[in-house]
Amino acid sequence: MPELPDVEAFKRYLNATSLHKTIGRVKVYAPDVLEGVSGRRLRNALEGKSLDQTRRHGKYLFARISGGGWLVMHFGMTGRLKYFKGTHSPPRHTRLLLSFENGFNLAYILQRKLGRVFLAGSGGSFIKERGLGPDAMTIGRAPFLQRLGKGRGGVKPWLMNQGNIAGIGNIYSDEILFQARVHPLRKTGSLDETAGKRLFRKTRSVLKTASDAGADPEAMPRSWLMRHRKGGGRCPRCSSPLATLKAAGRTSWFCPECQPARPTDQ
DNA sequence: AGGACGCCCTGTTCGC
DNA sequence: TGCGAACAGGGCGTCC
């Protein structure tokens, strides 16, 4: 699930549960989710320390370690965090477990092992090394439009490419395109100034609204595409049957009436 | 450069 | 009901 709003919710969850608590023990259940750091080094960096602040950039969550460095988490398609009490076995698919001295634990859970955990010196250096673009929720209009103008391909791949702007995945790109009334196969170069500005505005508002709602799909407005993107779903705006197509190997949902294709884009 | 594709994983749903 | 295929909100490398 995790796109920007979901990771924002994880950040708030971590803040509310796990800050300023001494980490007694770290258990790595799946060493293969660690990237660029060994289990031993991760344990050494965390045990006896605490997490004292968090940041989010795109789909990455950063937690600063009191002893120096940052624990960085990416959640793949199925990741989440769970804070729980006790010493009983952690939730299914727990890949990394921080056990605090207060008797509680923070589990990093991935059903499919597509997420990754890193240890970084600083957030800024990590973002640079990974080639991430500016955060999709905080980027300003001018840099957004400037970067959009450099695109040569489709709008949807542009939105989802983390090097352009960071944080948008399949679900939210569909939502943004729907609300901006842009067909998923439109090319970035075919968008005029007005459409570009609309795309920026909807990117901002969709991510903001979803983050404020805790990324809970059920809490999103009924007027959003997201609430209807399933077989037999109809457009919340014009009631037309929604359509799907494949782009970049992923399913795009859209309304053929509200998001008309342009012949040059087909 | 951009896009299609396979792959990494695991669980669920779909179609015959 | 059974069983394999297809698919699922991510991202990387490879190839064209």
Side-chain angles (χ1 to χ4, degrees):
Chain A
M1 70 162 67
E3 299 183 39
L4 187 154
D6 308 275
V7 180
E8 184 67 24
F10 297 158
K11 175 185 163 179
R12 291 173 193 174
Y13 182 76
L14 194 157
N15 285 349
T17 60
S18 304
L19 290 187
H20 312 300
K21 289 171 180 163
T22 304
I23 299 163
R25 190 154 166 273
V26 173
K27 189 157 171 54
V28 179
Y29 288 89
D32 47 331
V33 308
L34 303 184
E35 187 167 326
V37 62
S38 65
R40 166 185 288 272
R41 197 158 75 83
L42 190 68
R43 286 198 307 277
N44 284 341
L46 288 166
E47 287 177 351
K49 311 297 194 309
S50 61
L51 304 177
D52 60 14
Q53 71 172 73
T54 56
R55 281 188 56 192
R56 181 197 54 71
H57 187 94
K59 302 174 189 176
Y60 290 85
L61 177 58
F62 300 76
R64 194 174 75 177
I65 303 165
S66 61
W70 293 74
L71 174 68
V72 185
M73 290 170 276
H74 185 276
F75 297 90
M77 288 176 81
T78 59
R80 62 197 173 90
L81 296 174
K82 179 70 180 175
Y83 183 76
F84 66 98
K85 186 177 186 176
T87 55
H88 57 78
S89 58
R92 196 152 135 84
H93 305 306
T94 293
R95 310 301 182 180
L96 173 68
L97 185 69
L98 308 188
S99 296
F100 301 106
E101 290 188 339
N102 70 354
F104 283 77
N105 311 269
L106 181 67
Y108 166 81
I109 304 163
L110 304 173
Q111 180 196 99
R112 298 160 70 188
K113 290 157 69 174
L114 301 178
R116 288 292 178 268
V117 169
F118 312 79
L119 188 61
S122 76
S125 63
F126 180 87
I127 290 163
K128 193 171 180 191
E129 283 164 22
R130 305 294 297 182
L132 298 175
D135 185 74
M137 195 158 64
T138 54
I139 186 174
R141 191 174 77 171
F144 180 97
L145 294 174
Q146 195 255 342
R147 284 170 173 264
L148 183 64
K150 288 185 176 168
R152 292 288 176 272
V155 186
K156 175 155 168 152
W158 185 87
L159 282 171
M160 290 205 295
N161 184 332
Q162 305 301 298
N164 296 323
I165 52 174
I168 299 171
N170 197 35
I171 290 280
Y172 285 99
S173 62
D174 278 358
E175 189 65 45
I176 291 162
L177 291 170
F178 170 71
Q179 295 193 24
R181 297 196 205 170
V182 173
H183 189 277
L185 295 182
R186 285 281 292 274
K187 305 290 184 196
T188 55
S190 79
L191 299 177
D192 61 18
E193 182 82 3
T194 306
K197 288 178 177 173
R198 200 165 62 238
L199 194 66
F200 167 74
R201 202 165 59 243
K202 293 304 182 181
T203 296
R204 173 70 61 92
S205 67
V206 163
L207 296 177
K208 177 75 164 59
T209 301
S211 295
D212 288 349
D216 174 7
E218 299 301 303
M220 306 302 169
R222 297 278 310 169
S223 61
W224 281 27
L225 175 76
M226 194 179 292
R227 300 290 304 273
H228 310 274
R229 66 187 326 274
K230 54 180 179 286
R234 287 177 171 274
C235 173
R237 189 172 159 269
C238 77
S239 300
S240 299
L242 295 175
T244 62
L245 55 79
K246 285 278 185 189
R250 292 201 165 85
T251 303
S252 291
W253 285 80
F254 68 105
C255 172
E257 298 299 322
C258 300
Q259 298 163 264
R262 304 198 344 166
T264 51
D265 288 321
Q266 293 307 300

